Amino acid sequence: MSQTVYLNGEFMPLTEARVPVLDRGFIFGDGVYEVIPVYARVPLRLAEHLARMQNSLNAIHLRNPLAAEEWTRIVGQIIERNAWDDQAVYVQVTRGVAPRDQAFPADATPTVFVMANPMSKPSAEQRERGVGVITAEDFRWQRCDIKSVSLLANCLLRQLAAEAGCVEAILLRDGHVTEASTSNVFLVKNGVIVSPPKDRRILPGITLDLVLDLARNAKLPIEIRPVPEHELREADEIWVSSSTKEVLPVTTLDGKPVGNGKPGPMYARMYGLYQDHKAQIARAGAAHA
Ligand SMILES: Cc1ncc(COP(=O)(O)O)c(C=O)c1O
């Protein structure tokens, strides 16, 4: 079955979507993106994803080519025109097509691309047994808060993890945990959930905020503060979160067991809260449909 995508004002089969080679997204990685999880055809935290995209666009001095209502309409159409109930909707805006010159073109039209893929949720085995991660030096740039399509450093780091047979690389900068190559990081120590502050060294994850909101509502203790490397290595539990991973338990770190080597009780609690929340959103969506 052919996927339907949106490119610059038109819906079309993925196989027909074409972007000129002088697009600054291709030449410079000059653009931003979002990945929005969709459950039972209802996008999760769409407004928050659109707000984060606006922040990314502001940070790269690129005007948003569409109003929030237009984005909402296009994302809704993409969800409707594709076959799967659970999807990951990908949205990308680049600075458009222009002769190759690093300085911004005066009059380029931003390129807008939206596609959907079937949501590939973590497997039951990953949730029940946990996943392995490695640690790596965070050698990315100083604006990791921008969700930029320039992802070469993230690709190199994620590949390091893949070559070690792991799902993620947890990144360390100046002796502190920042995030992972494609997700945010939490640890649990003595029943307290700890996560690094949202500054320019990490992407402000929408799932990170959701996990923290769920924890707050359930009165689970949280500390947002810098996390030195030794705390990661001494944690009772480690979790990684992202729109497609949801929340996953990490049970080996650099080949050594985390805590007792099994997903912990706080993870079980958070996983339950997360699934309940998704079900609630899907029910509310069905009621509005
Ligand atoms: C570097 C990085 N950090 C964190 C995240 C998690 O963000 P979100 O929860 O919004 O998917 C991602 C998601 O792709 C990411 O690439």
Side-chain angles (χ1 to χ4, degrees):
M1 203 224 49
S2 139
Q3 267 162 273
T4 299
V5 303
Y6 171 96
L7 179 63
N8 297 330
E10 282 179 58
F11 292 93
M12 61 188 77
L14 175 63
T15 47
E16 283 173 25
R18 297 274 181 280
V19 178
V21 289
L22 284 182
D23 192 285
R24 290 176 60 101
F26 181 62
I27 296 286
F28 295 126
D30 183 1
V32 302
Y33 76 108
E34 281 295 324
V35 177
I36 304 150
V38 174
Y39 297 102
R41 299 197 181 263
V42 182
L44 188 61
R45 296 209 158 185
L46 176 60
E48 288 83 350
H49 280 278
L50 294 178
R52 182 173 66 185
M53 185 166 70
Q54 185 64 57
N55 291 340
S56 296
L57 288 167
N58 292 346
I60 70 163
H61 307 284
L62 179 55
R63 82 178 159 79
N64 193 334
L66 299 170
E69 308 78 63
E70 293 172 293
W71 281 115
T72 304
R73 187 183 59 78
I74 294 164
V75 169
Q77 285 273 307
I78 280 292
I79 295 169
E80 202 173 295
R81 286 168 187 250
N82 283 287
W84 319 283
D85 287 342
D86 293 353
Q87 307 179 8
V89 172
Y90 177 90
V91 174
Q92 175 171 328
V93 181
T94 76
R95 208 178 303 274
V97 180
R100 188 181 179 281
D101 177 6
Q102 280 80 350
F104 299 167
D107 55 0
T109 304
T111 299
V112 176
F113 176 57
V114 184
M115 69 174 163
N117 284 299
M119 169 66 94
S120 65
K121 275 171 271 190
S123 66
E125 192 192 347
Q126 287 181 315
R127 280 188 279 103
E128 284 156 20
R129 301 180 58 170
V131 297
V133 307
I134 55 167
T135 55
E137 179 65 25
D138 191 346
F139 53 69
R140 299 173 303 162
W141 67 333
Q142 315 242 3
R143 291 304 308 271
C144 297
D145 56 320
I146 302 174
K147 200 162 171 62
S148 159
V149 296
S150 309
L151 285 172
L152 181 55
N154 300 65
C155 292
L156 291 170
L157 290 161
R158 174 71 186 82
Q159 179 61 20
L160 266 186
E163 284 167 12
C166 288
V167 304
E168 261 296 19
I170 292 185
L171 307 178
L172 298 163
R173 192 179 286 223
D174 302 327
H176 286 79
V177 177
T178 51
E179 57 180 340
S181 70
T182 63
S183 39
N184 292 110
V185 175
F186 302 82
L187 63 82
V188 176
K189 188 71 186 177
N190 299 327
V192 180
I193 301 167
V194 185
S195 195
K198 287 193 286 179
D199 56 24
R200 289 184 170 189
R201 289 173 296 188
I202 72 169
L203 185 78
I206 305 298
T207 320
L208 166 79
D209 279 346
L210 175 54
V211 167
L212 293 175
D213 286 350
L214 293 172
R216 272 185 211 107
N217 290 342
K219 309 257 182 307
L220 303 177
I222 300 168
E223 286 178 13
I224 303 298
R225 57 170 175 77
V227 179
E229 178 177 350
H230 74 89
E231 287 193 31
L232 182 73
R233 301 204 184 276
E234 293 156 12
D236 298 330
E237 299 182 28
I238 299 175
W239 314 336
V240 288
S241 75
S242 78
S243 291
T244 51
K245 287 189 199 70
E246 304 186 338
V247 202
L248 264 184
V250 172
T251 45
T252 65
L253 179 74
D254 292 329
K256 300 200 180 78
V258 175
N260 67 4
K262 298 200 178 90
M266 291 287 279
Y267 173 75
R269 186 79 201 282
M270 180 50 65
Y271 178 73
L273 293 170
Y274 201 96
Q275 298 310 311
D276 288 350
H277 179 74
K278 274 168 47 184
Q280 237 172 42
I281 298 287
R283 275 197 302 275
H288 281 110

